[in-house]
Amino acid sequence: MSPATPNRYAGRRPRGLLVIKRFIIAFVLLALVCGGIVGFNLFRDNAMQQFFATMKPPAATVSTMIVKPTEWTPGVEAIGTVSAVRGVDLTVEAAGIVKDIKFQANQKVEANALLLQLDDAAERADLEATKAQAALDQTALTRALELQKRGVGSESTLDSARAAASASTSQVNRLQAVLEQKLLTAPFSGTVGIPRIDLGQYLTPGTSVATLQDLETMRADFSVPEQQLPLLKIGQKVRLGVGDGELPFTGTIRGIDPKIDPASRLVTVRAEVANPEGKLTPGQFVQVRVELPEENNVLTVPQTALTSSLYGDFVFVVRPAKPAADSGAAPAAAANAEEKPATDSAKPAAEAPAAKPEEQSAAAPAEPAAEEQKPQLVLAQVFVKPGRRNAGLVEILEGLAPGDEVVTAGQNRLSSGMSVAVDNTVDPTKPANQQAAQK
């Protein structure tokens, strides 16, 4: 190429520099996009952390009661079995075929009432024959006595006649007793059970016919530990019930076994209770409570308020939250601001200017603000030492003081320091039907 020939590449940038420039621009754009994504994620995570850190959980709703000294009626509780004071299984004394059944199931009978008749035809025939022989022997005895008075009879003849008459009389009495064994009568007044025999059935001695129970008075046999034996005495009041925690029947202790069972370390106690309406049935399971002298000034809480754990028994006590240290200036400023309206309110109503609509609308949000000024309630977990239990209440020996507000319902998922709201419209210590009636 000659020097005079112009260079067509003159004034052009090298191709490599253009590629580098484009690469740098793409890299910068990519860095900006990645940095924006990373920055947005960091900003989002930080905002979420701050939101959850400053967010207060909603207050849990609980039901509470104020602890105060009450009257306490201690007692000894046990499980017993009811039986009739007079109750037997009726049986026959002699063998025979059932001729007649004189009772029905659940029939009330009087003492000495005829219940069962066995076939006694053979016994009656023997009795008639024996009576005839006894009459003949009595006639022979009378004749022998008459001959003895006349002096023509011997002493041996008189003695034989007298012995024969006495033997015949005894034989009549024996057959009369055998005949009575063919009858089954009620030994006392009561209610007879379901017949266990049928007409024409052959019965052997000792066969059970039915049960007879006097349901007017019942007795309850129960056992208590030997440690509680000194608390019991004859004549003590006893309450009984068949379930649902109610003890509607009242009786007294009639007997205490003087011996303690060495195997179970229990002592047997017997109580009697009137049963005029027949609600108690022999053999029935009952709950027994022996009433002890009443005590005063005993701290009690409902059993629903007491929670048991591996570390001990505890309750949740509701207390006002402690104010924060840095918020002390705000209440002071609010108090100073409230002093001025107080002085203005002392002026007559005529001198006070009418409030503008804007001021009335501005004063409306002040009511929720006033509600927020109410003291916040928090929970405190307090370990206690429980004692005796009775009628859904438990005695507290240590841990609580009169005036403490204890949570009685809503303890699920509660923890110490948690904020709560008290709602006593529901009382777990009362049945639902009673609460509905109060409402």
Side-chain angles (χ1 to χ4, degrees):
M1 180 180 298
S2 63
T5 305
N7 189 0
R8 58 182 179 180
Y9 294 102
R12 297 184 180 179
R13 295 181 180 178
R15 188 176 183 86
L17 295 176
L18 185 58
V19 174
I20 293 174
K21 182 178 180 180
R22 292 178 179 177
F23 177 77
I24 292 174
I25 294 174
F27 179 78
V28 171
L29 293 176
L30 180 61
L32 291 175
V33 173
C34 294
I37 295 174
V38 173
F40 174 75
N41 290 333
L42 293 176
F43 172 77
R44 182 189 61 182
D45 295 342
N46 187 24
M48 293 177 62
Q49 291 178 0
Q50 291 182 358
F51 174 77
F52 287 110
T54 57
M55 183 186 67
K56 295 182 179 179
T61 303
V62 296
S63 177
T64 62
M65 67 160 289
I66 304 298
V67 179
K68 56 183 178 180
T70 59
E71 296 180 352
W72 178 268
T73 303
V76 178
E77 297 183 356
I79 302 300
T81 303
V82 173
S83 60
V85 173
R86 294 187 301 176
V88 295
D89 289 337
L90 302 174
T91 58
V92 294
E93 299 181 64
I97 297 176
V98 178
K99 182 179 180 180
D100 192 8
I101 299 176
K102 300 289 187 178
F103 68 94
Q104 296 179 355
N106 298 99
Q107 178 183 351
K108 292 185 178 180
V109 297
E110 300 295 332
N112 299 322
L114 179 61
L115 302 179
L116 182 68
Q117 172 72 61
L118 297 180
D119 185 12
D120 57 354
E123 287 76 8
R124 287 186 178 277
D126 292 343
L127 179 62
E128 294 298 330
T130 305
K131 285 183 178 180
Q133 183 63 37
L136 179 61
D137 293 341
Q138 186 65 33
T139 302
L141 176 61
T142 303
R143 186 179 298 109
L145 289 173
E146 185 66 25
L147 294 176
Q148 180 67 20
K149 290 180 181 180
R150 296 178 182 180
V152 295
S154 63
E155 290 291 336
S156 59
T157 303
L158 179 60
D159 292 341
S160 298
R162 185 178 286 112
S166 178
S168 299
T169 303
S170 300
Q171 188 69 12
V172 170
N173 294 335
R174 187 186 71 82
L175 291 177
Q176 185 67 40
V178 171
L179 191 63
E180 291 179 355
Q181 290 180 352
K182 297 292 183 176
L183 304 176
L184 179 62
T185 58
F188 51 84
S189 301
T191 303
V192 67
I194 300 175
R196 302 172 187 171
I197 46 89
D198 295 314
L199 288 175
Q201 181 179 349
Y202 179 79
L203 303 182
T204 58
T207 302
S208 178
V209 174
T211 182
L212 179 63
Q213 303 290 329
D214 183 6
L215 304 180
E216 294 295 328
T217 304
M218 309 295 290
R219 62 189 179 194
D221 294 335
F222 57 96
S223 300
V224 298
E226 60 179 350
Q227 295 84 355
Q228 297 177 340
L229 179 59
L231 302 176
L232 306 180
K233 60 182 180 180
I234 302 297
Q236 237 171 349
K237 183 179 178 181
V238 176
R239 301 187 66 87
L240 294 87
V242 296
D244 299 332
E246 297 182 0
L247 305 175
F249 305 100
T250 304
T252 55
I253 294 179
R254 295 301 184 187
I256 301 176
D257 201 336
K259 178 183 177 181
I260 298 175
D261 188 356
S264 61
R265 301 301 176 185
L266 300 176
V267 59
T268 302
V269 183
R270 173 169 292 178
E272 288 188 4
V273 55
N275 186 36
E277 299 180 1
K279 292 184 178 180
L280 293 177
T281 305
Q284 193 172 18
F285 162 90
V286 291
Q287 297 176 352
V288 184
R289 176 179 171 81
V290 182
E291 300 287 350
L292 299 179
E294 190 177 76
E295 301 178 7
N296 298 322
N297 299 326
V298 178
L299 294 181
T300 61
V301 298
Q303 293 187 12
T304 57
L306 187 66
T307 304
S308 300
S309 66
L310 297 176
Y311 305 99
D313 300 313
F314 64 88
V315 297
F316 286 107
V317 179
V318 177
R319 295 173 179 172
K322 296 182 179 179
D326 56 352
S327 62
N336 295 334
E338 292 177 356
E339 290 179 358
K340 295 181 180 180
T343 57
D344 294 340
S345 62
K347 297 180 181 180
E351 298 179 4
K356 298 181 181 180
E358 295 81 359
E359 295 178 356
Q360 294 179 356
S361 60
E367 297 180 358
E371 295 180 357
E372 294 179 357
Q373 295 297 331
K374 293 182 180 179
Q376 186 180 7
L377 301 177
V378 296
L379 292 177
Q381 186 181 16
V382 179
F383 284 89
V384 297
K385 181 180 179 181
R388 298 164 293 183
R389 301 171 186 259
N390 177 32
L393 299 177
V394 56
E395 179 187 15
I396 301 301
L397 303 177
E398 297 178 1
L400 293 179
D404 288 344
E405 189 173 4
V406 178
V407 176
T408 58
Q411 299 97 321
N412 296 336
R413 299 180 180 179
L414 295 183
S415 60
S416 183
M418 185 177 181
S419 61
V420 293
V422 178
D423 182 8
N424 290 328
T425 57
V426 177
D427 189 356
T429 62
K430 297 180 181 180
N433 54 359
Q434 295 182 5
Q435 297 181 13
Q438 292 177 359
K439 291 182 179 180

